[in-house]
């Protein structure tokens, strides 16, 4: 069978995604390769399809047991003989897999790295050595690099595989884009004359927004309201925040589960499973909630606090919309986040110039005014061809530049000066808005000339200005316990001389006009065009039932993309069903009648 035939038969896909064919050809030719594609770009297929096309057994190194299990379940569901082997399996299951390997039953074997190189892996390696290994694929290959965001020591030893199988080609796959990580992967794995394929980092189906943190809970609820009944992840920067936010959401009627490294193992994996199995749609988490989140229909990712680098942001927000359908990524950031990171990194002795630079880039992104897609891909060294992405707050016209930025900046700066450079953004905001509160009065700040100077601005707007002035270097943060605002030399210069910064620009969220709905991104409307939502929901319920019965997550049965297409085109024959995206031969045999019955039940 040719590669396109394999794609059609086993996956029900009719064409290749960018770079997939090139990547598969490298594997077919037995030439070492490194493929970099963003999350959801379709990396797994690049080793799975060649594993079917080539003779022998393909070995796939994968870091997480949950990830392996998902992929193998999906493969088996598509009619591909694959298995995984790891230490968490009961011994009978392991014996069964070993037998299968000996009998040559599998095309693909997923293994954890410690099985291959650690102590106790010897016997298993001996077994593999006696077999015709077709190639070795290393998934999530950035785990081998200390520069990556998810370094794992076991990965370091994978170079030894090359010694064991000098003639077998090795192929690395990652979503981490930086050149440094890429080089490191090549060197650490000992790839030879490797074909390097780096895809575009743009994710056109993601709608990016940035909000200045002001009234965090209200801002979060605003996003949740847009996504009722859909799956989402809310990232926080500390465990304490995770616990309290998750608790608060549950108290407010939004069912959610917390996830962070401080929870007992069993509770943590229960919460993750609940999310993957669609028992619950919201997870509040720290970065610990990461790899292995293969649920493809995550419709939004909120960051309640800025991550420490744009790499982290790209990874974490990238968990949205893996099925290619519309999804929203909202960063709710404040200048205080960056101070917090700096203090924490200093305290842990992890601060370096590189780290400082990464934080600075993240801070600039949060305070920037311009197309988010362009900014993000630009950061990864890619030019962005479009002028209007149609899928970010800037391009959707949700931001507006302030008419007289110098005057606004000078008002904020002078308030910072008047309160003695001893207060944080919240207090400065209160004074500027003329809020008649105890904190303001007790300090006599209601008598300052700046009191109420900007009473028409909203809290959100003022917090946004403060963040932008921080990012522009006109303000800085000091203080140990909580961040206080101070003027920089540049800020002082602008206070003294209104002409000191002629290029200054400031932006704010446009206030919604009464009776006018906000503009929707094209991706958001397109994905639902012609879809019978009622049928879609019934298909979802059917998928859930099948998934429960088989003990696999729903996305292993069908992706939302497939269900939407069925609910759009309403196929009533097997032939028509086979033309649907994501319905391969096995899936059609297996579930076709059930799907058609559901479609007809409505007619
Ligand atoms: P990655 O590993 O790069 O994050 P996956 O391999 O999980 O991405 O692929 C993301 C989704 O896209 C999966 O549901 C996969 O089945 C689907 N996909 C991959 N290749 C194609 C293709 N050529 N056509 C349609 N869908 C595809
Ligand atoms: Zn844009």
């Amino acid at each position: 069978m040719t590669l396109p035939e394999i794609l059609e038969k086993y996956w029900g896909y009719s064409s290749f995604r960018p770079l997939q064919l090139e990547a598969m050809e490298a594997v077919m030719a037995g030439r070492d390769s490194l493929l970099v594609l963003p999350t959801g770009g379709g990396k797994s297929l690049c080793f799975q399809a060649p594993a079917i096309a080539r003779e022998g057994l393909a070995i796939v190194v994968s870091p997480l047991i949950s990830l392996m299990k998902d992929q193998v379940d999906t493969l088996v569901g598509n009619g591909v003989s694959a298995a995984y082997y790891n230490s968490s399996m009961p011994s009978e299951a392991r014996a069964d897999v070993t037998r299968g390997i000996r009998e040559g039953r599998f095309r693909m074997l997923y293994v954890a790295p410690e099985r291959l190189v650690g102590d106790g892996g010897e016997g298993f390696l001996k077994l593999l050595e006696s077999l015709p290994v077709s190639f070795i694929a290393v998934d999530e290959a950035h785990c081998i690099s200390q520069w990556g965001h998810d370094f794992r020591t076991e990965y370091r030893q994978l170079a030894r595989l090359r010694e064991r199988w000098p003639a077998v080609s090795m192929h690395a796959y990652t979503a981490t884009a930086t050149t440094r990580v890429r080089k490191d992967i090549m060197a650490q794995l000992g790839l030879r004359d490797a074909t390097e394929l780096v895809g575009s980092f743009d994710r056109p189906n993601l709608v990016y927004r940035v909000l200045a943190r002001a009234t965090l809970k209200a801002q979060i609820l605003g996003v949740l309201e847009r996504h009722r009944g859909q799956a989402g992840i809310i990232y926080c920067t500390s465990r304490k925040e995770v616990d309290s936010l998750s608790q608060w959401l549950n108290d407010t009627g939004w069912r959610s589960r917390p996830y962070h490294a401080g929870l007992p193992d069993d509770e943590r994996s229960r919460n993750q499973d609940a999310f993957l199995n669609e028992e619950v749609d919201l997870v509040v988490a720290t970065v610990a909630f990461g790899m292995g989140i293969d649920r493809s229909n995550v419709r939004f990712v909120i960051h309640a606090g800025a991550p420490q680098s744009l790499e982290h942001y790209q990874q974490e927000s990238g968990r949205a919309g893996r099925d290619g359908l519309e999804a929203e990524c909202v960063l709710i950031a404040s200048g205080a986040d960056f101070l917090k990171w700096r203090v924490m990194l200093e305290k842990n002795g992890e601060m370096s110039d590189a780290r400082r630079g990464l934080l600075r880039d993240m801070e600039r992104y949060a305070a920037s005014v311009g197309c988010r897609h362009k900014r993000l891909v630009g950061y990864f060294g890619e030019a962005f061809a479009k002028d209007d992405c149609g899928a970010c707050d800037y391009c959707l016209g949700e931001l507006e530049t302030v008419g007289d930025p110098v005057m606004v900046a000078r008002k904020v700066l002078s308030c910072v000066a008047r309160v003695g450079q001893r207060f944080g953004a919240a207090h400065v905001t209160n004074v500027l808005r003329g809020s008649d509160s105890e904190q303001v009065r007790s300090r006599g700040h209601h008598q300052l000339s700046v009191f109420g100077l900007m009473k028409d601005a909203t809290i959100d707007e003022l917090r946004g200005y403060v963040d932008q002035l921080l990012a522009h270097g006109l303000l800085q943060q000091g203080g140990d316990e909580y961040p206080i605002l101070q003027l920089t030399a540049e800020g002082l210069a602008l206070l003294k001389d209104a002409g000191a910064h002629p290029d200054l620009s400031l932006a704010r969220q446009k206030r919604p006009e009464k009776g006018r709905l906000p503009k929707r991104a094209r991706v958001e409307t397109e994905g639902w065009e012609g879809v019978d939502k009622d049928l879609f929901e019934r298909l979802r319920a059917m998928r859930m039932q099948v998934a429960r019965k088989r003990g696999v997550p729903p996305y292993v049965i069908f992706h939302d993309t497939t269900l939407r297409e069925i609910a759009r085109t309403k196929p009533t024959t097997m032939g028509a069903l086979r033309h649907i995206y994501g319905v391969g031969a096995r899936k059609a045999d297996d579930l076709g009648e059930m799907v058609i019955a559901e479609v007809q039940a409505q007619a």
Side-chain angles (χ1 to χ4, degrees):
M1 252 188 302
T2 63
L3 289 168
E5 284 164 359
I6 288 174
L7 224 62
E8 209 292 316
K9 172 168 181 221
Y10 291 96
W11 281 274
Y13 298 152
S14 51
S15 60
F16 293 100
R17 295 247 182 96
L19 294 186
Q20 279 186 324
L21 186 59
E22 292 86 336
M24 290 180 194
E25 279 171 347
V27 181
M28 295 305 293
R31 175 164 183 186
D32 284 1
S33 65
L34 169 64
L35 174 65
V36 187
L37 281 182
T39 312
K43 290 182 289 298
S44 348
L45 239 69
C46 296
F47 51 84
Q48 291 168 342
I52 298 170
R54 284 187 61 169
E55 297 284 313
L57 177 72
I59 296 176
V60 182
V61 182
S62 175
L64 279 190
I65 292 168
S66 58
L67 214 83
M68 277 185 217
K69 185 173 174 329
D70 260 15
Q71 292 216 358
V72 170
D73 284 343
T74 306
L75 285 166
V76 171
N78 285 341
V80 183
S81 55
Y84 60 89
Y85 189 90
N86 62 51
S87 36
S88 78
M89 297 160 68
S91 55
E92 315 88 77
R94 263 191 302 190
D96 188 45
V97 171
T98 330
R99 208 173 316 117
I101 295 173
R102 266 199 206 97
E103 292 165 1
R105 248 194 284 143
F106 308 121
R107 310 311 305 262
M108 244 172 290
L109 180 68
Y110 281 72
V111 270
E114 58 271 19
R115 274 291 105 193
L116 289 173
V117 288
D119 307 330
E122 261 324 294
F124 188 64
L125 275 178
K126 280 258 146 51
L127 167 66
L128 292 181
E129 264 176 2
S130 64
L131 300 164
V133 171
S134 51
F135 63 89
I136 299 168
V138 180
D139 203 5
E140 310 287 355
H142 57 272
C143 292
I144 205 169
S145 173
Q146 255 160 343
W147 303 111
H149 51 87
D150 206 351
F151 174 60
R152 289 171 183 243
T153 34
E154 319 87 80
Y155 259 65
R156 266 292 147 95
Q157 301 179 40
L158 287 178
R160 286 210 238 140
L161 293 179
R162 170 96 307 156
E163 295 156 25
R164 291 252 173 188
W165 284 281
V168 169
S169 63
M170 272 179 97
H171 307 275
Y173 302 85
T174 180
T176 307
T178 59
T179 344
R180 185 153 63 169
V181 174
R182 240 184 276 156
K183 288 217 170 77
D184 208 20
I185 292 173
M186 301 257 218
Q188 298 290 339
L189 281 178
L191 299 188
R192 287 182 303 233
D193 187 21
T195 304
E196 195 178 351
L197 298 163
V198 182
S200 166
F201 268 73
D202 190 38
R203 300 277 310 274
N205 61 319
L206 303 188
V207 179
Y208 295 105
R209 292 192 166 89
V210 179
L211 302 177
R213 183 159 71 236
T215 44
L216 180 66
K217 285 175 179 165
Q219 290 172 315
I220 291 176
L221 287 185
V223 182
L224 296 187
E225 290 291 351
R226 288 201 279 276
H227 296 280
R228 270 190 187 277
Q230 300 181 339
I233 305 171
I234 305 175
Y235 279 110
C236 299
T237 41
S238 77
R239 296 171 186 183
K240 222 170 77 201
E241 286 164 353
V242 166
D243 288 332
S244 69
L245 185 59
S246 172
Q247 186 62 51
W248 178 79
L249 284 173
N250 286 325
D251 292 345
T252 342
W254 294 90
R255 267 179 5 98
S256 74
R257 295 279 180 97
Y259 188 102
H260 58 67
L263 292 172
D265 283 351
D266 56 333
E267 187 178 344
R268 213 172 51 214
S269 58
R270 252 201 328 274
N271 291 351
Q272 170 163 331
D273 287 346
F275 181 71
L276 296 181
N277 294 325
E278 301 196 5
E279 286 157 36
V280 54
D281 283 325
L282 287 179
V283 163
V284 185
T286 60
V287 289
F289 191 62
M291 255 198 306
I293 309 311
D294 256 356
R295 182 167 175 178
S296 57
N297 61 352
V298 174
R299 296 270 76 87
F300 64 96
V301 171
I302 301 175
H303 276 78
Q308 51 174 311
S309 73
L310 276 170
E311 276 91 340
H312 283 87
Y313 187 61
Q314 148 94 13
Q315 282 286 329
E316 291 154 24
S317 60
R319 306 215 160 91
R322 294 185 65 146
D323 50 15
L325 297 172
E326 78 290 343
E328 185 179 0
C329 304
V330 183
L331 170 64
I332 308 177
S334 114
D337 299 338
F338 301 99
L339 181 71
K340 203 163 106 187
W341 280 120
R342 285 185 191 108
V343 170
M344 203 196 83
L345 291 168
E346 269 335 324
K347 209 173 80 193
N348 298 344
E350 290 169 356
M351 196 40 133
S352 63
D353 283 348
R355 273 276 173 60
R356 229 170 265 127
L358 295 175
L359 271 173
R360 191 87 202 138
D361 288 334
M362 185 69 231
E363 188 170 8
R364 289 220 182 91
Y365 173 82
S368 68
V369 185
C371 176
R372 311 282 175 198
H373 281 263
K374 189 178 179 143
R375 273 258 165 179
L376 278 171
V377 301
Y379 179 76
F380 292 106
E382 196 180 319
F384 191 65
K386 281 180 273 187
D387 280 331
D388 172 1
C389 75
C392 78
D393 49 4
Y394 180 78
C395 294
L396 289 169
E398 294 169 12
L399 304 179
E400 62 188 358
T401 46
V402 174
D404 194 348
V406 169
M407 190 174 71
V408 169
R410 281 163 56 99
K411 284 180 181 172
V412 176
L413 294 174
S414 74
C415 184
V416 171
R418 290 297 151 133
V419 300
Q421 308 193 54
R422 285 189 292 115
F423 293 89
H427 189 76
V428 167
T429 302
N430 283 337
V431 173
L432 281 168
R433 292 188 76 229
S435 115
D436 199 6
S437 66
E438 179 52 29
Q439 281 108 318
V440 173
R441 275 188 175 274
S442 66
R443 293 172 174 111
H445 288 167
H446 60 298
Q447 286 162 341
L448 295 175
S449 58
V450 290
F451 181 75
L453 189 61
M454 299 181 78
K455 55 181 178 305
D456 293 334
T458 65
I459 298 180
D460 298 34
E461 280 166 19
L462 285 175
R463 295 299 289 262
Y465 299 149
V466 168
D467 288 346
Q468 292 168 61
L469 293 174
L470 282 165
H472 293 325
L474 298 177
L475 283 176
Q476 64 184 16
Q477 299 185 92
D480 308 323
E481 277 195 32
Y482 80 107
I484 59 171
L485 295 174
Q486 298 168 332
L487 299 173
T488 61
E490 301 259 299
L492 204 58
L494 184 64
L495 257 192
K496 289 206 179 118
D497 169 14
H501 279 276
D503 298 336
L504 184 70
S505 105
L506 290 174
R508 65 173 169 222
Q509 210 75 30
K510 238 186 227 166
R511 296 186 196 173
E513 286 168 48
K514 279 222 174 64
R516 259 192 66 184
L517 288 173
K519 203 163 129 191
R520 302 283 305 271
R522 192 158 19 82
V523 283
E524 288 172 324
T525 47
E526 249 172 25
W528 284 108
E529 236 156 65
V531 175
D532 179 335
K533 286 202 180 171
D534 176 59
L535 176 56
F536 175 76
E537 287 305 325
R538 282 189 290 117
L539 290 166
R540 255 179 74 163
M542 183 202 89
R543 173 177 68 180
M544 179 69 96
Q545 235 177 13
V546 176
R548 287 278 148 78
K549 213 181 291 163
R550 299 185 183 180
V552 295
Y555 53 82
V556 163
I557 306 290
F558 282 128
H559 286 301
D560 279 17
T561 332
T562 303
L563 297 192
R564 281 199 205 174
E565 200 175 316
I566 297 172
R568 181 184 294 124
T569 58
K570 304 187 182 175
T572 51
T573 63
M574 275 298 184
L577 189 64
R578 277 288 274 113
H579 282 111
I580 299 275
Y581 169 95
V583 184
R586 166 64 70 90
K587 276 277 147 75
D589 275 355
D590 184 14
L591 301 166
E593 278 177 30
M594 212 165 165
V595 170
I596 290 172
E598 197 64 61
V599 171
Q600 284 174 329
Q602 178 207 37

